[in-house]
Amino acid sequence: MQTIRGFRDILPEQTALWQNVEKEATGLFKAFGFEEIRIPVIEKTELFARSIGEATDIVEKEMYTFADRKGDLLTLRPEATASVVRSYVQHKMYATDPVRKFFFIGPMFRRERPQKGRYRQFYQIDVEVFGVASAYIDAELIFLLNELFRRLGLTGLSAHINSLGCPECRPDFQKALLSLLESKKDQLCENCRNRMNKNPLRTLDCKVPSCREALKEAPSTIDHLCGTCDSHFKTVQSSLEKQGVDFKVDKSLVRGLDYYTRTAWEIQTTSLGAQSAVAGGGRYDGLVKELGGPE
């Protein structure tokens, strides 16, 4: 008997390294006021379709979804944020204290093509903050991630940041992007042609060479920010500079999930080939309300 393709055992000689990473992360998060939360491995499929977005690769291609004996569609969690938000809303945590900070460590499941650094059962360390509108919390989380990697002795990493705007300014950007996509339609892959009207922002995340070439001149979200989003992003940058965090504004950076607004970031490395992102995150101001909670 062998493991399923894309799955692996963590053997005894490897677990000490894993425990060290978890210990460093837990100690750092607790020092920053985060509390541990533990979420189910399986959720209703609707949770991920609504929060992540039906036009994303995760929902379209990668989720492990099945019907239980009653015919209800269930999914092995592909990421943690949607489940943590569901828990925050379900248990009305906002009623006792609207500002909450959580961390979570555990396995996720995506039916990706296995390759270097990619597994179908993989493990994530996740942090979430609720109830803070300030741009300083964005900078704090990027600083926190940078500090974790520093404590683990990792090198050759760089922080990339971008602003994806908000519902007020994104329509103007999407209009400009759609105009370009229409003019380059013949050069786009089938996926991107399907996404043009569903979720044009996702075309910018496509890895197909012909699409990347066609979208070299794509408009930037930063050039279409409203005044509030522009001020927010400038505050994030100035705060990171004061904290001594090396970062790069990357206009091509878009996160692969629908719920992100304003600041998005990735930590990238040169040691994994094309799959360069090893950590990432962003703001998701509308997600709690989308799943039935308050603003």
Side-chain angles (χ1 to χ4, degrees), residues 240-251:
L240 290 175
E241 288 169 356
K242 290 175 183 175
Q243 294 172 48
V245 175
D246 289 329
F247 68 91
K248 172 187 177 183
V249 175
D250 184 348
K251 293 183 178 183

Side-chain angles (χ1 to χ4, degrees), residues 110-157:
R110 296 185 194 175
R111 199 181 186 284
E112 300 189 84
R113 180 171 61 88
Q115 54 190 298
K116 185 178 180 181
R118 297 268 175 167
Y119 294 90
R120 290 173 172 177
Q121 177 177 327
F122 58 99
Y123 296 81
Q124 281 192 345
I125 297 174
D126 181 70
V127 300
E128 309 285 349
V129 179
F130 295 90
V132 183
S134 168
Y136 291 112
I137 196 66
D138 304 32
E140 178 181 310
L141 290 180
I142 297 168
F143 172 83
L144 187 70
L145 189 53
N146 199 60
E147 176 63 14
L148 175 60
F149 286 143
R150 188 191 69 78
R151 292 188 181 192
L152 293 172
L154 301 182
T155 58
L157 303 170

Side-chain angles (χ1 to χ4, degrees), residues 11-267:
L11 302 178
E13 54 266 31
Q14 300 167 323
T15 54
L17 178 61
W18 286 66
Q19 289 167 354
N20 181 58
V21 172
E22 292 165 2
K23 180 181 177 183
E24 286 288 353
T26 298
L28 180 62
F29 298 156
K30 287 183 176 180
F32 272 72
F34 287 81
E35 301 172 289
E36 185 178 11
I37 187 170
R38 302 190 183 190
I39 52 178
V41 171
I42 299 174
E43 298 268 14
K44 293 179 180 177
T45 302
E46 178 191 11
L47 171 66
F48 301 116
R50 283 180 61 184
S51 58
I52 295 173
E54 293 184 3
T56 61
D57 282 347
I58 295 174
V59 173
E60 287 181 338
K61 305 175 185 177
E62 297 173 359
M63 294 200 312
Y64 281 101
T65 297
F66 57 93
D68 69 4
R69 291 184 180 181
K70 291 185 177 180
D72 295 326
L73 284 179
L74 305 177
T75 295
L76 290 171
R77 63 185 182 216
E79 59 102 43
T81 294
S83 294
V84 176
V85 173
R86 189 267 312 143
S87 180
Y88 177 78
V89 173
Q90 178 180 336
H91 299 289
K92 294 183 172 62
M93 298 185 198
Y94 50 83
T96 53
D97 184 355
V99 178
R100 301 297 295 268
K101 301 170 78 173
F102 302 116
F103 75 90
F104 167 80
I105 301 174
M108 306 296 164
F109 304 86
R110 296 185 194 175
R111 199 181 186 284
E112 300 189 84
R113 180 171 61 88
Q115 54 190 298
K116 185 178 180 181
R118 297 268 175 167
Y119 294 90
R120 290 173 172 177
Q121 177 177 327
F122 58 99
Y123 296 81
Q124 281 192 345
I125 297 174
D126 181 70
V127 300
E128 309 285 349
V129 179
F130 295 90
V132 183
S134 168
Y136 291 112
I137 196 66
D138 304 32
E140 178 181 310
L141 290 180
I142 297 168
F143 172 83
L144 187 70
L145 189 53
N146 199 60
E147 176 63 14
L148 175 60
F149 286 143
R150 188 191 69 78
R151 292 188 181 192
L152 293 172
L154 301 182
T155 58
L157 303 170
S158 60
H160 291 231
I161 68 172
N162 193 16
S163 177
L164 305 181
C166 70
E168 296 296 318
C169 53
R170 197 173 290 177
D172 185 47
F173 164 73
Q174 289 185 328
K175 183 179 178 181
L177 178 59
L178 267 174
S179 177
L180 177 76
L181 291 173
E182 287 289 352
S183 69
K184 303 282 187 180
K185 194 171 183 178
D186 293 342
Q187 298 171 246
L188 302 178
C189 69
E190 185 180 352
N191 260 352
C192 286
R193 288 197 296 270
N194 291 335
R195 288 170 176 162
M196 276 176 57
N197 296 312
K198 287 183 183 178
N199 187 352
L201 190 67
R202 290 289 291 115
T203 61
L204 299 176
D205 202 35
C206 185
K207 303 298 187 289
V208 176
S210 61
C211 293
R212 296 185 77 86
E213 180 64 28
L215 294 171
K216 271 186 176 180
E217 299 173 8
S220 164
T221 53
I222 292 178
D223 296 331
H224 291 81
L225 296 179
C226 63
T228 304
C229 287
D230 183 56
S231 175
H232 184 102
F233 193 48
K234 286 176 179 174
T235 300
V236 172
Q237 293 176 68
S238 63
S239 181
L240 290 175
E241 288 169 356
K242 290 175 183 175
Q243 294 172 48
V245 175
D246 289 329
F247 68 91
K248 172 187 177 183
V249 175
D250 184 348
K251 293 183 178 183
S252 66
L253 173 64
V254 294
R255 300 291 293 152
L257 312 181
D258 278 5
Y259 53 64
Y260 285 114
T261 56
R262 293 187 176 169
T263 317
W265 61 84
E266 283 184 351
I267 304 296

